[in-house]
Amino acid sequence: MAVVSSLGLIFITCIVIWRACDGFEMASDYLGRNMKEGIKGATINAIGSSLPELFTTLFFLFVLKDKDGFSGGIGTTAGSAVFNAMIIPAVVIMAVIGKGIVDRIDVSKKVIKRDGISLILCEIVLILLITGTELHWYHGLVLMLLYVVYITYMLTSQGSGEVDNDYEAEADGGNRMVAFCKGDFATTVLGDGTISTGKAWLLMLVSVFFIGIACYWLVEACEQFGEAIGMPIYFVSVVLASAATSVPDTIISWKDAMKGNYDDAVANALGSNIFDICFALGFPLFLFTLMYGPITMSPDTLENVGQLRVLLLIITIVAFFIYLVPKTIKKSHGYLLIGLYALFVLYIVLKGMNTDIGIITSISDGLSSISHFFSTLL
C-alpha cells in the first residue's frame, strides 16, 4: 500500500510541477522576449525549468539532514542531468520528426559546442571538488561561482538582441477560482488581461511557490517509496525524483521544438544541466554547511556518489558526440538516446537492489577506479 500511495503522490507532484512551470514559462517568455534564440533557452528557460531540482535538493538536505540528504540531492541533480541529456532531445526528435513536421533537425553546432563543453567542464570540476568524506561551504561556493561565470558569459555574448515590442500573451480567461483548482496559475494571476512586466513577475513568484510545495511532497514521497521497497533514497532520487523534476525541462524543450526553435530546445536541456550541477547543488550545499557545519558522507555514500559523477561525465560526453558529429539529427539518434537512458536506469535499479550480477559489479568497479584516479589528481 505504501508503494502505491507514494507513487501516486509522485504522480500528483509531477502534475503540479508541470502546471506551475507552465505559468513560469509564460512569465519567462515575456521577460526574456528580447533575448536571442539559443541564449534564452540556455539561461532564463533553463533556470526556470530547473527550479524543481533546486527545491528538491534543498528539501533533501534540510528535511532529511539526519538521513544522508546530500546523497538524495546529488542523486536528483545528476539523474536529472542524465535525463535532460538523453530523454529531452529524444522527445524533441520524436515529436518533430515523428509527426512529419520535418525529416531532420538542424541544431547550431555553435550552441552544442558552447553549452556541451561548458557542461563537461562543470562535471569535471564536480568530480575533482568532491573527493573527501567531508563537504564544506566553499565547495558550494566554487560551484556557484562557476555558474556565475557561465551565465555572465552567456548574457554578455548575446550582443544586441532584436527587440520584440509587439509581444503579447493572454491567459485563457474564465473564472479565476476554477482556474486555480485546475492548476492554471496563468489565468489565476492574469484573469482575462494580457501580460505585463509586473504581472509577469507576480506570475513567476506564484509559480515558484507552488513548485516549492510540490517538491517538498516529492521528497516525502521518494523517502516513503524507498522505505517501502528497501532501497536507499540515493537510488530512488536518481530515477524517480530526477524524472519528476525534469518534467518542465521536457515540456519547454518540446514547445520550443514545435515552434521550430531547435537551438533553444537543445540549449534548454544543456543549460538546465549546468544550472543543476552548479547552482541547484551548489547553493543548497553552501547554505546548509554555513548553518549546520560540514556534511560528512559515509564511505558507501561517497563511493556511490563518485561512481554516479563519473557515469554522468561519460554519458554527457557520449551525448555530446551524438549531437556534434552528425550533420543533422535524425530519428535514429532519438532511439539511440532512449536506449542509452534505459540502460542507465537498469544499472541504477539493479545496483540499488544490491543485485549480484557480474557485469553490474564490473561496471561499478570500473567507475570506482576512475573516480579514485580523479581524486588523486588533487
Side-chain angles (χ1 to χ4, degrees), residues 14 17-18 21-22 25 41-54 76-77 79-81 83-85 87-89 91-92 211 241-257 264-276:
C14 284
I17 291 172
W18 160 43
C21 284
D22 270 351
E25 182 201 0
T43 54
I44 195 166
N45 282 1
I47 293 172
S49 60
S50 293
L51 285 178
E53 285 89 341
L54 173 60
T76 300
T77 54
S80 177
F83 187 98
N84 291 350
I87 296 300
I88 291 181
V91 167
V92 169
I211 290 171
S242 64
T245 56
S246 293
V247 168
D249 303 281
T250 307
I251 293 173
I252 288 178
S253 289
W254 174 76
K255 287 183 177 180
D256 280 334
D264 269 341
V266 174
N268 172 48
L270 297 177
S272 294
N273 286 0
I274 296 171
F275 180 88
D276 289 345

Side-chain angles (χ1 to χ4, degrees), residues 74-149:
I74 197 170
T76 300
T77 54
S80 177
V82 175
F83 187 98
N84 291 350
M86 298 290 176
I87 296 300
I88 291 181
V91 167
V92 169
I93 293 168
M94 297 305 173
V96 177
I97 299 180
K99 289 188 176 182
I101 298 175
V102 296
D103 58 357
R104 61 185 184 182
I105 296 175
D106 295 310
V107 180
S108 169
K109 299 298 182 182
K110 179 182 177 180
V111 170
I112 294 174
K113 290 177 182 178
R114 180 196 67 201
D115 295 333
I117 293 174
S118 297
L119 177 59
I120 290 172
L121 290 176
C122 290
E123 291 176 0
I124 291 174
V125 170
L126 180 66
I127 293 175
L128 294 174
L129 199 63
I130 303 176
T131 55
T133 56
E134 280 195 347
L135 296 170
H136 299 267
W137 62 268
Y138 52 83
H139 291 120
L141 181 61
V142 170
L143 290 173
M144 287 192 296
L145 289 176
L146 200 61
Y147 189 71
V148 170
V149 172

Side-chain angles (χ1 to χ4, degrees), residues 2 8 14 28 33 38 40 44 47 53 98 132 143 169 187 207 251 284 310 314 321-322 359 374:
C14 284
S28 65
R33 62 193 182 280
K40 177 172 168 285
I44 195 166
I47 293 172
E53 285 89 341
L143 290 173
T187 300
S207 300
I251 293 173
V310 173
I314 293 172
F321 282 106
I322 290 176
I359 189 171
F374 274 105

Side-chain angles (χ1 to χ4, degrees), residues 221-262:
C222 287
E223 182 189 13
Q224 181 183 357
F225 181 81
E227 291 177 351
I229 66 173
M231 183 178 289
I233 192 68
Y234 165 78
F235 295 100
V236 176
S237 66
V238 172
V239 178
L240 292 182
S242 64
T245 56
S246 293
V247 168
D249 303 281
T250 307
I251 293 173
I252 288 178
S253 289
W254 174 76
K255 287 183 177 180
D256 280 334
M258 296 302 288
K259 297 173 187 175
N261 301 333
Y262 304 127

